[in-house]
Amino acid sequence: MTLQVSHPSGDGQPIEGFRFLWAFYVKGYNPGKHCQPGLIGSRVAEFCTSTAKTGRIAFDRMHRYPYLYICGVGSGPKDQLRLKNFHLPLRFEEGGEVGATTYNGYCFRLTNAALVDVPQLPDDFDRKPREHARCKNFQFAVACFGYPPRSC
């Protein structure tokens, strides 16, 4: 799977406008946690808050992980984050293409990828706190691995 990130600022520039930005190879999850700490797998060191840049990156460990999750947590007032956050849950698909644009104009284009459908959970899912049930990372994990999770 290959990602190309473009922006009018040009290639090789740091991706800005996110408090946190990361890609994570995912093979399971811990239902007691949400956000990135709930995911089981491996963070992509070449694509995280301090290293993410425009240009090309190959995700070359998809043979070991069924999913890749790209997440950007926007910066600014909490009531506006839902407009700035970026979620891209993916699986490998030979010949597939996925495209998405962030709130601030970064264009993400992935090859050999397919978007994973992630249904929204009710706010009171399994009596979890609202923030936990609404977490897109948690909703992705439930959609992909079931609840409670199937073993990897």
Side-chain angles (χ1 to χ4, degrees):
M1 187 181 301
T2 302
L3 168 65
Q4 178 70 41
V5 181
S6 60
H7 191 264
S9 63
D11 277 355
Q13 300 301 310
I15 297 176
E16 298 178 337
F18 295 96
R19 185 171 168 209
F20 301 108
L21 180 65
W22 46 265
F24 201 92
Y25 294 109
V26 185
K27 64 178 182 178
Y29 80 106
N30 176 343
K33 297 180 180 181
H34 66 91
C35 297
Q36 188 190 70
L39 301 176
I40 296 172
S42 179
R43 185 174 58 92
V44 180
E46 301 82 20
F47 198 85
C48 62
T49 306
S50 61
T51 62
K53 296 180 180 180
T54 54
R56 184 180 177 279
I57 182 170
F59 296 110
D60 57 2
R61 293 171 52 187
M62 293 306 298
H63 63 287
R64 295 181 53 204
Y65 297 91
Y67 303 102
L68 178 78
Y69 200 107
I70 298 174
C71 182
V73 177
S75 56
K78 191 171 185 173
D79 66 338
Q80 294 183 15
L81 291 183
R82 65 180 175 80
L83 303 172
K84 295 181 176 182
N85 291 345
F86 183 69
H87 297 278
L88 205 53
L90 305 156
R91 63 179 173 76
F92 178 83
E93 182 178 287
E94 185 74 37
E97 293 185 18
V98 173
T101 303
T102 65
Y103 79 97
N104 55 350
Y106 289 93
C107 295
F108 283 61
R109 299 282 178 251
L110 291 111
T111 55
N112 293 322
L115 195 59
V116 174
D117 183 40
V118 179
Q120 187 172 334
L121 296 172
D123 287 352
D124 61 350
F125 179 79
D126 198 37
R127 298 196 283 222
K128 299 263 185 223
R130 184 173 182 243
E131 183 176 309
H132 194 127
R134 279 195 164 184
C135 173
K136 301 293 187 201
N137 299 171
F138 179 73
Q139 292 174 356
F140 153 80
V142 170
C144 293
F145 300 103
Y147 188 85
R150 300 178 297 276
S151 49
C152 301

